Amino acid sequence: TSHGSAELQRSGTDAIVQRRGSGSDRRATNRRAADGRMSNSDTDDLTGLYNSDAWNRILTAEDERCERYGHTSCILAVELDGSAAASLQMICLAARCIRAMVKDRDFVARVDANTIVVLLTECEPACLRRALQRVRMVLTRQSVAASIGFARRLPEMGLAYAQREARRAMPYRVP
């Protein structure tokens, strides 16, 4: 395997995401996560996706990369219907479906009980539209009821703002 650009390293109590390259390195990191080689503290126990702590570190590192190289990134937020009603099976199904529909270079995390977020790296508007269509299609096929929001990273606002916007306005409903 190649060196991971989002290789998680511990520094005291803080874990940081360290980037050493481009998409191929992120793919290696995502493969490690899928293969179970990421630290258990970085993954959600139920879904195997990144957890909110790892997600926040990834957003910070991606923001820095976007600033440095002028890349664009987008956030998709998927809120599964029913706060306590969303079954564990439905959450796992949605996680598998979403992870299968995004590119290797992208990141997927479960940030709270019923919310799965996707960081689409190096994402232009056409890429965002295609990703949104793929996620809507796969969730519809699996009868996963959800609301979906999205936002592009604005250079002056960053990815944390894009995530808040994606979660605030969820114009798409599945099914």
Side-chain angles (χ1 to χ4, degrees):
T1 64
S2 66
H3 289 89
S5 66
E7 195 172 306
L8 296 173
Q9 296 183 346
R10 299 284 171 198
S11 170
T13 59
D14 297 326
I16 60 170
V17 177
Q18 198 173 60
R19 300 230 182 243
R20 282 192 230 138
S22 63
S24 64
D25 296 328
R26 277 194 301 280
R27 286 189 291 277
T29 299
N30 283 339
R31 280 194 305 274
R32 281 196 308 276
D35 293 344
R37 291 182 279 162
M38 293 297 280
S39 166
N40 286 340
S41 65
D42 297 321
T43 58
D44 175 65
D45 291 335
L46 179 65
T47 63
L49 300 176
Y50 287 106
N51 62 25
S52 59
D53 290 338
W55 173 255
N56 290 332
R57 292 189 305 274
I58 290 166
L59 284 187
T60 299
E62 184 64 14
D63 250 342
E64 291 170 3
R65 195 179 73 82
C66 287
E67 282 295 316
R68 189 175 316 121
Y69 299 111
H71 292 294
T72 59
S73 291
C74 300
I75 303 280
L76 280 179
V78 179
E79 184 78 31
L80 302 174
D81 283 358
S83 54
S87 72
L88 299 180
Q89 282 182 319
M90 195 60 66
I91 293 166
C92 290
L93 176 61
R96 281 192 310 274
C97 289
I98 293 167
R99 185 173 31 211
M101 289 292 106
V102 299
K103 296 178 181 176
D104 287 341
R105 70 177 184 223
D106 301 329
F107 296 93
V108 181
R110 180 175 175 222
V111 294
D112 65 31
N114 293 329
T115 305
I116 296 171
V117 289
V118 181
L119 171 60
L120 302 164
T121 61
E122 299 174 28
C123 179
E124 297 298 326
C127 172
L128 176 59
R129 284 190 298 276
R130 286 189 303 273
L132 179 60
Q133 288 171 343
R134 286 192 312 264
V135 169
R136 288 177 68 194
M137 178 185 67
V138 73
L139 293 178
T140 299
R141 284 184 182 164
Q142 297 297 322
S143 300
V144 174
S147 298
I148 304 172
F150 61 92
R152 291 189 66 207
R153 178 190 180 276
L154 301 173
E156 64 277 6
M157 302 304 278
L159 283 167
Y161 176 79
Q163 179 177 326
R164 283 190 303 275
E165 286 301 297
R167 292 185 73 182
R168 184 182 63 77
M170 295 194 159
Y172 296 101
R173 295 276 312 137
V174 180

